[in-house]
Amino acid sequence: MTSLDGKVFSWICLLFLILEITHTEDDKCMHSDSCERCLSTHLECAWCTGKEYTVGYRCLSRSQLLANNCTETDIYENQPVLDVLQDKPLKDYETTDQAIQVRPQRAYLKLVKGNTQRIKLSYRTASNNPLDLYVLMDLTWTMRDDKDTLEELGAQLSQTLKNLTGNYRLGFGSFADKPTFPMILPQYKENPCAAERAQCEPTYGFRHQLSLTDNIPAFTGAVANSKITGNLDNLEGGLDALMQVIVCTKEIGWKEQARKVVILVTDGFMHLAGDGLLAGIIERNDKQCHLNEAGEYTGSLDYDYPSLEEIYRELLRRKINVIFAVTQNVVSSYRELSALMKEISYVDILSADSSNILELIKKSYESLIKRTQFADNSPDYIDMVYYTDCGGQFPTLQKRNYCNNVNLGKEIDFYVDVTLKKYPEDKVYTHKIRVEETSLSEYMDLDVELQRPCPCQETPEPENEFGRFQCQDQGYMYCGMCICDSGWTGTFCTCPIDSTNVTSNEALLQKCRQPLADRTTSELVCSNHGDCDCGSCQCDIGYTGPYCECRECLDCDEKLADCFCGQCVCKYGWSENGCNCDVDTDACVGPTGEICSKRGTCECEECQCEEPYLGKFCEIDPEKDNKLCLFYEPCVTCLIEQKQGMGACENLTQICSSLDRQETYSYSFVHELDPEQDQCLVRMVNKHGMQCDSFFVYKVVDHSNFLTIQAVDCEPVDYVALVGYISAFTLLIGLLIIFLILWCIRAKDAREYAKFDEEQRNNVRQENPLYRDPVGRYVVPKALSVKYDENPFAS
């Protein structure tokens, strides 16, 4: 393309851009030929029903209809409304008032067909929220030591719950199984523990022993007074008992505003719906309460076990969470069960004697309150889609109605898009929709009104001259639409029925609607880019095709693409809108050999990742795994083992090479890794038998793999050296202390002596003036003077 051609092309693009900008909503509206189609074309479209309106296009924007002298009373338009009716601020639980964890609490929506209204919903877990915890315990023979442990831990359980919330209540119940063959042996009916040469309680289905209370001694006493029983198989009637705990609201004492939790403690599997047939029990579980005054389940021999689906629906409906505290041998089965109702259940491993039950309650409760999920009861013709970033966990809004690992006290915003897809067949235009948190009695009520289809209250006037004139005197005007005489059809009754072989205006317009792949036709007449003239589309400037469905191509490079129905169809080897991208995906193939880790598409030699995946090859899942960490892990493990003298891996070259086995990974060991880089964890057992965690980072440049490894040497404690070091250190400290003491003593003595010496020098002798020394002292002069007056012996 020459420079001049490029300038011409740029001017053409600019011209079409200006035309596109000036292509207002009025232009989109004007091709609609009926009120209902007009309003569904665009939110800004309005329909004029006035008889005196003379402009050809009745579907325009409100402002243009008024400018064309359509009176306001004759204009019917879309009127979406969003009004928040109740929006109390979020607050924590107080003894005098309930917590508020969802806002707003109520809103009014007026929905227009095809238009989406977005409402913001905020959620925050309230601190000190009431907790109702019901302990449902398997008291068959194998759980006898667990009962004793729970009884001993009663006081500690109180402290554990106080650390979670200061407002809690406890309840207790126990279960075994249906007291009939083949769940028990008839000869052991009165003493099912006879086979163990012990005495125990006759088998019962479920026994409610203590309603929810804040009296901890009462809970401990209820556990102590409960009796061990037994059954024949390793399948228990836990679902029977759980259903009664759920539905017996009054007997259990569930509080509406509390977070309701059942912890089911067992070491066995559960009977499911249909197992009652083995005992001749064919009546389906009726999901009703059957507890007598003593708390005994009276329907154990009358009703079959409930199904998981029935349990799940009742848990959801009554906002009750369930924690399965089960032993290691059955935990996998309960995790599969919990996966079917993951938003309201949790599974953890119970130790053999239940000694970790307090830790388990704390862990599971914190897991439950760190998860939030919302659901609604909207009808199928109203679509509700949720978006959230989970309080900053994601860089952008994600299409999801739940969040995990929510920090306590963190406010989470959900954006709910509400769309009316179609009008209800029952013509009911007011609805109440509740958006509620799945595990709490917290919700937002939406009062929804659907905008009705175009009403028409005019009286038909088939002989009105002006109305017939507007319909070419081959019909009459009614509510802004032509009602054609026999033999004529079309928007303005200009099409004779004989030539078009159709009998109605709707059938004529159907010929101007584009057929779709699913054997239906588009709702748009001439794709909204032209007028339907007797079954044929007369397209607007810039559009072409039998249904005006194609735009003229403006930016197709003839060397790289062909124009087909307004689209640049790239020639072999090129892609993207401008066909300027090489289709080669080699740059998107990661070390695993997958294109974008099968989590995205390769566009212009770069991976465009699906939500929520990240990374150069879409290898990072923010919530789960990193595919490249898992891919490099065997290689890094071998390199660390080799470095630490654990022996060389036999297949090191194989597992540390690229897929084509032509290049070995480059690697280096460092003391510290860059904290800003995404680090991968390698957990291994070293030569000392210790579990040791090391970290590494990877980099892929032109299919070359670079590994930077921070190998941690987890050495066992050398007690001999440790004792030696401590002894030497102690001796050194002792010598240092002795030296300091001696130095202090010498320094003190030196100061005292200097003080004494100074006093001696400054001492002045005091003598008595009357005292005369009796000792005479003479000094022989060194030289005799010759002077007489000085020397009497001088000559």
Side-chain angles (χ1 to χ4, degrees), residues 431-504:
H431 298 270
K432 285 190 177 292
I433 297 176
R434 174 163 290 185
V435 180
E436 55 185 349
E437 215 280 340
T438 55
S439 61
L440 288 173
S441 296
E442 297 283 345
Y443 53 83
M444 173 182 67
D445 281 333
L446 298 179
D447 297 333
V448 178
E449 179 183 355
L450 311 182
Q451 179 167 281
R452 290 161 175 75
C454 297
C456 188
Q457 300 177 355
E458 290 185 9
T459 302
E461 298 182 21
E463 303 303 327
N464 182 276
E465 293 185 4
F466 187 73
R468 292 194 66 82
F469 170 76
Q470 289 180 302
C471 298
Q472 306 301 313
D473 203 32
Q474 292 157 171
Y476 64 94
M477 184 64 63
Y478 177 66
C479 287
M481 296 173 283
C482 285
I483 306 299
C484 299
D485 296 339
S486 177
W488 295 93
T489 187
T491 303
F492 297 103
C493 303
T494 55
C495 304
I497 290 178
D498 293 341
S499 63
T500 59
N501 197 27
V502 293
T503 58
S504 67

Side-chain angles (χ1 to χ4, degrees), residues 224-293:
N225 293 331
S226 60
K227 304 297 183 181
I228 292 295
T229 183
N231 63 335
L232 182 59
D233 56 12
N234 194 34
L235 298 173
E236 324 294 4
L239 293 187
D240 250 353
L242 183 57
M243 178 62 79
Q244 292 301 298
V245 173
I246 296 171
V247 301
C248 294
T249 306
K250 181 178 179 181
E251 289 77 3
I252 302 299
W254 294 118
K255 186 186 296 182
E256 179 65 23
Q257 294 298 325
R259 185 180 290 273
K260 299 180 276 290
V261 180
V262 178
I263 177 167
L264 194 154
V265 185
T266 183
D267 63 349
F269 300 99
M270 288 192 188
H271 281 292
L272 303 176
D275 288 354
L277 296 175
L278 299 173
I281 301 173
I282 60 174
E283 188 72 22
R284 182 176 178 177
N285 194 287
D286 64 352
K287 296 178 286 187
Q288 299 296 318
C289 183
H290 295 284
L291 295 183
N292 61 20
E293 294 181 358

